[in-house]
Amino acid sequence: MRKWIMNKRYISIFTGAFFGGMMVIDAHATVTVASGEMAEKDGWVQANLLTGTNLPPFSFTYNGQSSAALLPSWARAETDIVLDSNRTEHVITWSNAALQVTFKAVDYHDFPLVEWTVYFSDIGPRSTPILQGVEGLDLTVTRTNGPEFTLYGNQGDYASPSSYAPYVYTLTPLTVKNFSPPSYSGKSCDGPTGWPYYNLAEPGGGMILAIGWPGQWASAFTRDAGMDLRIVAGQQTTYLSLNPGETIRTPLTALMFWQGTDVVRSQNLWRHFYLAHVIPRVNGQPPQAFISMGGDTTNAINVFLQAGIKPDGLWRDADTQPYTWYPVAPYADTTANWLYTGNWSVETNAYPHGFVGLSTALHKLGMKFLLWFEPERVGNSHSELSTQHPEFLLKGTDSTVGSIFNEGDPAAFHWLTNRIQGIIFSNGVDWYREDMNGCGPLPAWRNNDAANRQGITENFYVQGHLAYWDSLLAMNPGLRIDCCGSGGRRNDLEEMRRGVPLWRSDFAESGDGAKLGEGNQCFTYALSSWLPFTGTSCGGFWDQYSCRSSYVAGFGLGAPSQEHLAAQKHAYDECREVSPIMLNGDYYPLTPYHAADDFWMAWQFDWPDRAEGVVQAFRRTHSNEAVMNFRLQGLDPDGLYLVKNVDEVSSSTNTGAALMKDGLNIRIGHQPGAAIVIYHEIQPATQP
């Protein structure tokens, strides 16, 4: 455990914005990294990582002794590797005759952030003593006088309108807050306490923490009776002996420092870091706003094209009635036949030539082809995997809805990689969409562990899962991954380095238009502080309120509908305009978070590089207020802005100072209703 005493921090000037229902005060300022923040991060790295006499920010118990007692006496070596102009990797090892501990930390030079993973390897001729209680993060923060520790975060996804609801906890003395996915899960962003991202504020600043582990992690924030707060995070269960040559790892931990009192600014610093270093890139380019359609033929494409709609891609999901794209016999008449997974080949009766003709036609139109997979859950006991490779399967339970394919088995890993790569290559797949249904793989992992190997199946599985994705990306340089897990339940930092969530919650299939719209508003409000790229749809409700509630970086049009084609065209045009701003801009909540239907909800995205932005406002079903005033954020006070409500004929001009001080009035004359206001700077401060 490492004690960290906070330095005196820089205090900035603020005006108004909301985060998690709390008002923060912020003055106009471009969101940039402060020199003091970099200095604080550099000092922390020097003290906690590079000073050999100090303990590192992780912990474990080995053969009954704590790492704090063991590591000072073990052989220590350090190597620095320059990865590029913005990153240096510090590799530090400690070892005795049997166990080597390798700490790999990436130190960023353009953001006040450091991230690390710890590896444990058996380097001896026999099995190690028990290694247990492994915490990839173990850090104690000591508070100075001033406001108490305040923890900001979200709930995870559980297909509910309350999914992703933000929380704010004041960590007073003797407070303990524990977080993890549900005890049956193993999905990293699952359930009310399953969101692996945090923002801890304290006097003068704070830190953002993120965990990368597509499995069962756990974290705890424990306040003592005095001024200290201990933070630990790691794989939830580790009590195991390693065999010769074996290596396990901890979850990835990211730690970003920020100064001042503006929580919203700190979240925008995180967004900047995410867009610079997390979001996956193809040929150096991150995914742009992605509008998709559903189906498996060119007929729907032609209908959209004739209507002036050109989606970015076609989304072929598990089931386009009456066919799945993979064999499911003898369950062909079952309405939920797509659940019977385990045959990963194209169904030749329905698709005798596969999808190559479809993908070729899409590519000629400049569009992409997305194909759904669910390789980890084997729901068909008559499938190829069940009958020909039972050795690859972990025994499931009722909650897993089938067996679990053991990605931690090297032979299984190679079989799956080669099989799926063959489908991707021969069918022209551009987006690999991976789902994970059932309640989660955790019971199958744990039931496979011996008493002295608790946590080993999960650890090898997670390593294999990430290596599988890395292999697909390496073999297909243009491939993108859409990560899912019964909605948005697997969006931890490791997966976000490889994919994006085009489907953030199965609540989008709830079938209730107004509630779906308000749920989507709540999801966008909460997730935008953490994940610049998320995706959803309006659930087939093509009224303006539902559509506008669903605009994000990834928007699903579904199949064309002659009845609603004009509405689909209108939504396509609006989303095409606002979603790039939502992806690339700074995010400012303009109202508190509200789940109730008698409030307004509003937010602003400001894209400084383009000197433009968008305000989205929603008057809910039972709100009695027809006009609301919102003070905008992040503008140039001396700049002149052209402001246009897309539902009104006229536009107006206002200075940035007026829009931030006096605010912007938005009228919505009906309930429920939604407004979109676009603005851009027409006369910057540097212009006479």
Side-chain angles (χ1 to χ4, degrees), residues 423-437:
I423 296 173
I424 290 171
F425 180 78
S426 61
N427 290 277
V429 175
D430 304 290
W431 281 79
Y432 167 80
R433 171 168 167 76
E434 184 176 290
D435 205 347
M436 174 53 159
N437 290 290

Side-chain angles (χ1 to χ4, degrees), residues 486-500:
S486 296
R489 306 188 201 201
R490 260 181 138 180
N491 295 330
D492 61 276
L493 190 58
E494 282 281 28
E495 295 222 341
M496 295 298 90
R497 277 257 159 78
R498 296 159 173 85
V500 294

Side-chain angles (χ1 to χ4, degrees), residues 203 451 576:
R576 182 67 83 195

Side-chain angles (χ1 to χ4, degrees), residues 4 6-11 36-38 40-41 44 112-113 139 141-144 148-152 198-209 229 231 255-263 265-267 269:
W4 172 32
M6 285 289 189
N7 298 321
K8 185 177 180 180
R9 296 181 179 264
Y10 168 82
I11 306 295
E37 291 167 333
M38 292 302 297
E40 183 177 358
K41 183 269 299 180
W44 188 90
L113 187 141
L139 182 68
V141 181
T142 299
R143 185 176 68 83
T144 58
E148 273 290 2
F149 292 112
T150 305
L151 186 65
Y152 298 85
Y198 312 94
N199 195 340
L200 177 69
E202 55 182 309
M207 65 179 82
I208 285 179
L209 293 159
L229 174 70
I231 310 167
L255 175 61
M256 189 188 85
F257 300 85
W258 59 272
Q259 297 183 340
T261 57
D262 189 350
V263 179
R265 172 187 170 272
S266 73
Q267 293 292 156
L269 276 183

Side-chain angles (χ1 to χ4, degrees), residues 222-484:
T222 304
R223 178 71 193 280
D224 68 4
M227 306 289 276
D228 287 353
L229 174 70
R230 185 184 180 193
I231 310 167
V232 297
Q235 183 181 342
Q236 188 176 62
T237 298
T238 48
Y239 180 91
L240 52 91
S241 171
L242 290 173
N243 293 329
E246 289 183 338
T247 296
I248 63 167
R249 55 159 287 189
T250 67
L252 171 70
T253 299
L255 175 61
M256 189 188 85
F257 300 85
W258 59 272
Q259 297 183 340
T261 57
D262 189 350
V263 179
V264 172
R265 172 187 170 272
S266 73
Q267 293 292 156
N268 280 318
L269 276 183
W270 171 261
R271 282 178 60 96
H272 287 212
F273 166 75
Y274 190 104
L275 290 170
H277 293 291
V278 175
I279 198 165
R281 294 173 179 266
V282 171
N283 298 322
Q285 297 300 312
Q288 301 303 309
F290 186 80
I291 297 178
S292 63
M293 60 165 289
D296 58 359
T297 70
T298 57
N299 295 334
I301 302 169
N302 292 330
V303 172
F304 273 141
L305 291 176
Q306 290 168 9
I309 301 171
K310 184 182 177 182
D312 299 298
L314 183 144
W315 178 318
R316 183 21 168 126
D317 214 86
D319 197 2
T320 297
Q321 292 293 343
Y323 302 112
T324 56
W325 68 262
Y326 46 91
V328 296
Y331 300 100
D333 295 330
T334 304
T335 56
N337 57 1
W338 64 271
L339 284 169
Y340 296 100
T341 51
N343 289 317
W344 294 115
S345 59
V346 178
E347 169 56 70
T348 55
N349 291 323
Y351 306 101
H353 304 293
F355 294 109
V356 66
L358 175 62
S359 63
T360 299
L362 289 168
H363 296 158
K364 288 180 180 178
L365 293 169
M367 298 169 63
K368 303 297 184 182
F369 177 49
L370 178 150
L371 188 60
W372 179 97
F373 294 82
E374 192 185 359
E376 295 169 85
R377 187 185 57 81
V378 181
N380 186 345
S381 61
H382 300 276
S383 66
E384 175 186 5
L385 279 170
S386 296
T387 58
Q388 297 183 26
H389 293 288
E391 73 279 11
F392 294 166
L393 306 185
L394 301 173
K395 185 178 180 181
T397 65
D398 289 343
S399 70
T400 64
V401 194
S403 301
I404 298 298
F405 185 89
N406 187 6
E407 293 186 306
D409 179 332
F413 164 85
H414 288 295
W415 184 94
L416 181 65
T417 303
N418 291 329
R419 175 60 64 90
I420 303 302
Q421 167 59 17
I423 296 173
I424 290 171
F425 180 78
S426 61
N427 290 277
V429 175
D430 304 290
W431 281 79
Y432 167 80
R433 171 168 167 76
E434 184 176 290
D435 205 347
M436 174 53 159
N437 290 290
C439 294
L442 185 62
W445 292 341
R446 291 189 172 172
N447 290 342
N448 193 61
D449 289 338
N452 67 339
R453 302 268 282 174
Q454 295 176 43
I456 197 78
T457 303
E458 176 185 347
N459 204 286
F460 289 165
Y461 187 107
V462 168
Q463 292 187 65
H465 173 73
L466 296 175
Y468 164 62
W469 279 16
D470 289 339
S471 298
L472 294 182
L473 293 170
M475 291 186 288
N476 303 278
L479 185 70
R480 293 201 183 275
I481 292 177
D482 166 29
C483 47
C484 186

